[in-house]
Amino acid sequence: MALDLLVKITQVDTEDQAVENILELFTILFAPDKLRYLTLSDAQAQQKHLWSLSVEDEAAIQKLIASSAREYAWAASGKGFMVKISHKGSLLGIMVVDDIGCPEYKKHYLNLSLSMVAVCGLAIENARRYQRIKKSEDRLRKEKEKVEEALAKVKKLSGLLPICSHCKNIRDDKGYWNQIEEYIHEHSEIDF
């Protein structure tokens, strides 16, 4: 069941969807009364999927964020834990699981959580990348449309033009001589 839920986490397009699926996974596995998630970007809180924290828990989260070696901390209540969700050394968020259904198994739950957070981090990072790629594609598509629109307006002459040095007429591809003004007007949007 846990593996099926992990697969569901990886099949999302947005970070919010990934977080919602991760919260659902942790709810199903640990039955916590309090489940909190703090989204981080460059080790700064961006979005909170949580309610108020105790002063002790907030201090523990700050220590956890600051520590590169620690992957978890125990909740102040003694009935839960906090785990880092990261991907390739980049800290993406903190999951706080507190008041779990069977606190006597909190060490087992912590071990299970630590084995799952790598997949959770991958899912969140993939969702972030997907959104960045989608924004870039939209920007590129708009720029391409602007360029195509500008090219549609531009009609240009290219190559060599055979021109008579005496009368200044231009010979076209069929071998006929045209006045320079007529030839340029026909092959571009220039009016004389």
Side-chain angles (χ1 to χ4, degrees), residues 63-156:
K63 285 181 185 176
L64 192 57
I65 291 171
S67 171
S68 60
R70 293 181 61 193
E71 293 299 316
Y72 71 93
W74 295 108
S77 69
K79 297 179 182 178
F81 53 87
M82 303 167 202
V83 291
K84 287 182 177 179
I85 295 181
S86 58
H87 181 69
K88 292 187 178 180
S90 177
L91 183 58
L92 305 173
I94 303 287
M95 179 66 72
V96 180
V97 182
D98 203 0
D99 290 333
I100 54 179
C102 299
E104 62 271 14
Y105 297 114
K106 70 180 181 182
K107 289 182 182 179
H108 299 291
Y109 292 158
L110 174 64
N111 287 333
L112 179 59
S113 294
L114 291 173
S115 66
M116 293 185 317
V117 293
V119 175
C120 296
L122 177 64
I124 290 171
E125 181 60 29
N126 284 345
R128 286 182 181 183
R129 281 190 183 148
Y130 179 79
Q131 291 303 311
R132 286 192 301 266
I133 289 169
K134 192 173 178 180
K135 285 179 185 177
S136 295
E137 283 177 347
D138 289 345
R139 187 177 38 81
L140 286 173
R141 183 183 44 76
K142 289 176 184 176
E143 290 298 320
K144 180 184 174 196
E145 288 172 359
K146 287 180 185 178
V147 168
E148 287 175 349
E149 186 178 305
L151 283 175
K153 291 180 181 178
V154 174
K155 214 175 172 184
K156 65 177 186 175

